[in-house]
Amino acid sequence: MSGPSGTPGGDTGTAAPLWGPATGVGSMPGGDAREAARAVTGTFEDFPYLAELPARGPGADMIGRTAGLLAEIYARVEPSGWRIGDHPGRDTKRARSWLGEDLDALEEFTQGYEGPLKVQVAGVWTLAAALELRGGESALGDPGACRDLTASLVEGVGAHLADVRRRVPGAVPVLQIDEPSLTAVLRGQVRTASGYRTHRAVDRQVVEGALRELTALAPGAAVVHSCAPDVPFALLRRAGAAAVSFDFDLLTERDEETIGEAVEAGTKLFAGIVPGTDGPLSDPAGSVMGVRTLWRRLGLDPGTLTESVVLTPACGLAGASPAYARAATAHCVRAARSLADNPE
């Protein structure tokens, strides 16, 4: 396996990795780490990623998996969700054990690989909205807890990236920061434990600053992913994201201006073109028709499409059948080939 040719991107002032034409979002169905690693590396030869298998249970889910990476902050499973505790318990140990299995499998199937290799972690704001403090309320409502969580996450993810570099020396780690709750955090729509009110909106500069601390771990190689509507493209670009990953079908005309600005500034678009759950798949050329149309409306050069766009499923594939997951990921690769062959 070897990385593809590409161009630097992002407005972080550093060279981006050589992005592949297509990749996955993160999660896959099933619970076999070796089978998932084989599928991912076999399909996305130019841009593999560390698969997540949430079907294994708590600790393999997005929140639990990232909680296991935290430095000197620990979490355990309660009936209401993940709660911060005083010491690493069995839930933390299980999360770390599963991550270790996944890394072992990825290492096995990337021997000799050179090129971009993506790993995913929950972003600090999605984590803060999901993790409970000892009293049962979300960490999001405590600014001090959010600062501590940010520092812990930065340290833990930094160690994680170092481990990936050690295991796959030829890889350029690409850090995907999953922030599905980001828009709700910015709008004050995250409900409190009682459900009767919402946490107040977090100041945009505070949100941006915490995100910047994470993107700084992978200069020019940080992707922020959200499959929610109204992704804040401009904020993410200012926070150092070299790429933004999103569900293409959720775009509206309101997004077009900020997307055009982002592309012209060198930001990559990870466009989710295939549903994350079982359903019919159109022909590959039809799947990227919307991407071509957007480029024309923005007045952008079609020749830049393959430099600027990476194709993915719309979201993770944990809820899909194994057969559909295989078909959807292969479809993204074929659609990327169609886009390269006929950008017009």
Side-chain angles (χ1 to χ4, degrees), residues 6-26:
T7 57
D11 57 350
T12 59
T14 57
L18 306 179
W19 309 100
T23 190
V25 171

Side-chain angles (χ1 to χ4, degrees), residues 213-235:
E213 290 189 50
L214 276 173
T215 62
L217 293 171
V223 184
V224 179
H225 167 75
S226 174
C227 47
D230 300 320
V231 176
F233 287 91
L235 182 150

Side-chain angles (χ1 to χ4, degrees), residues 248 251 256 269 271 273 282-306 309 311 331 333-344:
F248 190 83
L251 291 184
E256 291 186 4
L269 304 181
I273 59 162
S282 67
D283 67 286
S287 295
V288 291
M289 188 180 302
V291 179
R292 292 191 182 101
T293 301
L294 173 64
W295 234 245
R296 286 196 297 270
R297 285 206 303 267
L298 293 174
L300 296 170
D301 178 3
T304 65
L305 261 173
T306 53
V309 176
L311 298 181
H331 188 92
V333 174
R334 289 196 296 271
R337 196 172 299 128
S338 170
L339 197 62
D341 292 343
N342 183 20
E344 301 282 354

Side-chain angles (χ1 to χ4, degrees), residues 75-94:
R76 65 179 185 273
V77 178
E78 297 286 343
S80 54
W82 284 90
R83 181 173 296 183
I84 293 173
D86 297 319
H87 53 82
R90 63 180 182 182
D91 297 320
T92 297
K93 292 173 184 175
R94 183 169 55 227

Side-chain angles (χ1 to χ4, degrees), residues 1-2 8 10 29 60-61 63 101 127 156 163 210 234 258 287 310-311 322 328 342:
M1 298 173 70
S2 62
D61 60 298
I63 299 302
E101 286 182 20
L127 203 59
D163 189 23
T258 54
S287 295
V310 176
L311 298 181
N342 183 20

Side-chain angles (χ1 to χ4, degrees), residues 232-329:
F233 287 91
L235 182 150
L236 297 178
R237 183 164 60 88
R238 291 194 305 271
V244 180
S245 173
F246 57 96
D247 181 343
F248 190 83
D249 284 345
L250 295 181
L251 291 184
T252 67
E253 288 185 13
R254 294 195 310 272
D255 298 312
E256 291 186 4
E257 183 178 349
T258 54
I259 288 177
E261 291 172 353
V263 171
E264 289 178 343
T267 304
K268 305 294 183 184
L269 304 181
F270 281 42
I273 59 162
V274 177
T277 52
D278 290 39
L281 296 171
S282 67
D283 67 286
S287 295
V288 291
M289 188 180 302
V291 179
R292 292 191 182 101
T293 301
L294 173 64
W295 234 245
R296 286 196 297 270
R297 285 206 303 267
L298 293 174
L300 296 170
D301 178 3
T304 65
L305 261 173
T306 53
E307 298 173 6
S308 301
V309 176
V310 176
L311 298 181
T312 72
C315 212
L317 294 167
S321 66
Y324 177 80
R326 288 192 297 270
T329 52

